[in-house]
Amino acid sequence: MQPPAHVIGEFLNQAIRLAVRNVSDGGGPFGAVVVTADGRTHDGVNRVTLDNDPTAHAEVVAIRKAAAASGSFDLSGAVLYASCEPCPLCLAAALWARVDRVYFAADRYSAAAAGFDDALFHEYFDGDRPELMPVSHTDLPASDLPFHAWRDNPDRTEY
Amino acid sequence: MQPPAHVIGEFLNQAIRLAVRNVSDGGGPFGAVVVTADGRTHDGVNRVTLDNDPTAHAEVVAIRKAAAASGSFDLSGAVLYASCEPCPLCLAAALWARVDRVYFAADRYSAAAAGFDDALFHEYFDGDRPELMPVSHTDLPASDLPFHAWRDNPDRTEY
């Protein structure tokens, strides 16, 4: 079920305000809000340079906070609002968190114009820029041992 | 420059051992090692269910540790070794961290056989499963304000 347009606008504007304030605070120009199924909001801002954490994108920070506050790695029913189009890192984080849907305000081209690689990394996932980071498969005799251990563990928590 | 084959095998086997041990420790069957340009190693295991953090994949954990230990969000010159083919979250984290190259042992189909959605989420990024998580663009009058604030901030740290 989609939220009403005015709700989408409100949360997107909240994410934008977080992003603007984060620039004054020395961070990157990105903000995000996760609204969990229980209606609570969890916000995040980009802390990559402040925390020396290349994964601390606003959406990832908001998702991690939402999951911690919910006591669950599964945020089914949640909606993610982002000041800017989520990059592949943030989309994948939202997929693993089982976020229902995503809304964003600015797009990847505005981010690119401001000097960020979001659009470039989308191209990598489109298969157009494989040279950015070569990935090689080296199968080994032990490759599947972790999965055997997993299946043999009756106490495993699946996700 | 590619590491010699025996070095690749050694670090992949180290990642596999971490993954096997992590299953006994109650975590998911994934391990990773980041070797930074200075030759130091930083390992990670999957902590999604243990930490209620849907982003705590082995590769993300190892990248965050490597960046924290290096005091930098930029891991140029680093190599990532993963017990299993990195999912889009982990590939994107490695891209943002400026990891040079990636090696993996088991593949996404072994992960799928063990019940994990890696292969499914690769399909999402291939454009084949958009229904998994709809993403909508809602441009607003304030959409680009964060980027204006960013360009106007002479003290910004770019990345």
Side-chain angles (χ1 to χ4, degrees):
Chain A
M1 199 185 69
Q2 285 190 250
H6 75 274
V7 171
I8 297 170
E10 274 167 30
F11 284 121
L12 285 177
N13 276 314
Q14 186 179 333
I16 291 168
R17 284 192 301 271
L18 288 166
V20 171
R21 194 187 316 145
N22 195 48
V23 173
S24 325
D25 292 344
F30 302 96
V33 178
V34 169
V35 181
T36 40
D38 57 11
R40 286 192 298 169
T41 63
H42 313 268
D43 57 27
V45 292
N46 183 295
R47 305 220 19 119
V48 169
T49 60
L50 293 171
D51 290 351
N52 285 322
D53 180 354
T55 73
H57 288 201
E59 299 92 322
V60 170
V61 171
I63 286 169
R64 298 181 77 218
K65 280 167 70 172
S70 306
S72 173
F73 50 83
D74 184 336
L75 299 178
S76 295
V79 178
L80 169 63
Y81 299 90
S83 64
C84 183
E85 184 175 2
C87 79
L89 174 75
C90 299
L91 286 177
L95 282 167
W96 282 111
R98 315 293 167 176
V99 162
D100 268 16
R101 48 176 67 241
V102 179
Y103 296 92
F104 66 91
D107 67 16
R108 67 183 76 174
Y109 308 106
S110 292
F116 294 94
D117 284 334
D118 302 61
L120 182 66
F121 293 164
H122 276 290
E123 290 177 28
Y124 180 87
F125 281 91
D126 291 341
D128 296 333
R129 298 297 303 272
E131 77 284 3
L132 290 177
M133 191 178 68
V135 178
S136 310
H137 185 196
T138 302
D139 200 16
L140 295 172
S143 289
D144 282 334
L145 289 186
F147 296 124
H148 296 164
W150 176 251
R151 286 197 202 88
D152 291 344
N153 179 9
D155 302 324
R156 66 183 179 274
T157 304
E158 301 190 345
Y159 72 88
Chain B
M1 198 185 68
Q2 284 190 252
H6 75 274
V7 170
I8 297 170
E10 274 167 30
F11 283 120
L12 286 177
N13 276 314
Q14 185 178 332
I16 291 168
R17 284 193 300 272
L18 288 165
V20 170
R21 195 187 316 145
N22 195 48
V23 174
S24 324
D25 292 345
F30 302 97
V33 178
V34 168
V35 182
T36 39
D38 58 10
R40 286 193 297 170
T41 64
H42 312 268
D43 56 29
V45 291
N46 183 294
R47 303 216 27 113
V48 169
T49 59
L50 293 171
D51 291 350
N52 284 322
D53 179 355
T55 73
H57 286 201
E59 299 92 323
V60 170
V61 172
I63 287 168
R64 297 181 78 217
K65 280 167 71 171
S70 305
S72 173
F73 50 84
D74 184 338
L75 299 178
S76 294
V79 178
L80 169 63
Y81 299 92
S83 65
C84 184
E85 185 175 1
C87 78
L89 175 75
C90 298
L91 286 176
L95 281 167
W96 282 111
R98 314 295 167 176
V99 162
D100 268 18
R101 49 175 67 242
V102 179
Y103 297 93
F104 66 91
D107 67 16
R108 67 183 76 174
Y109 307 105
S110 292
F116 294 93
D117 283 334
D118 302 59
L120 182 66
F121 293 164
H122 276 290
E123 288 176 30
Y124 181 87
F125 281 92
D126 291 342
D128 295 333
R129 298 296 304 271
E131 78 283 4
L132 290 177
M133 191 179 67
V135 178
S136 311
H137 186 196
T138 302
D139 200 16
L140 295 172
S143 289
D144 283 333
L145 289 186
F147 297 124
H148 296 165
W150 176 251
R151 287 198 200 86
D152 291 344
N153 178 9
D155 302 324
R156 66 184 178 273
T157 304
E158 301 190 345
Y159 70 89

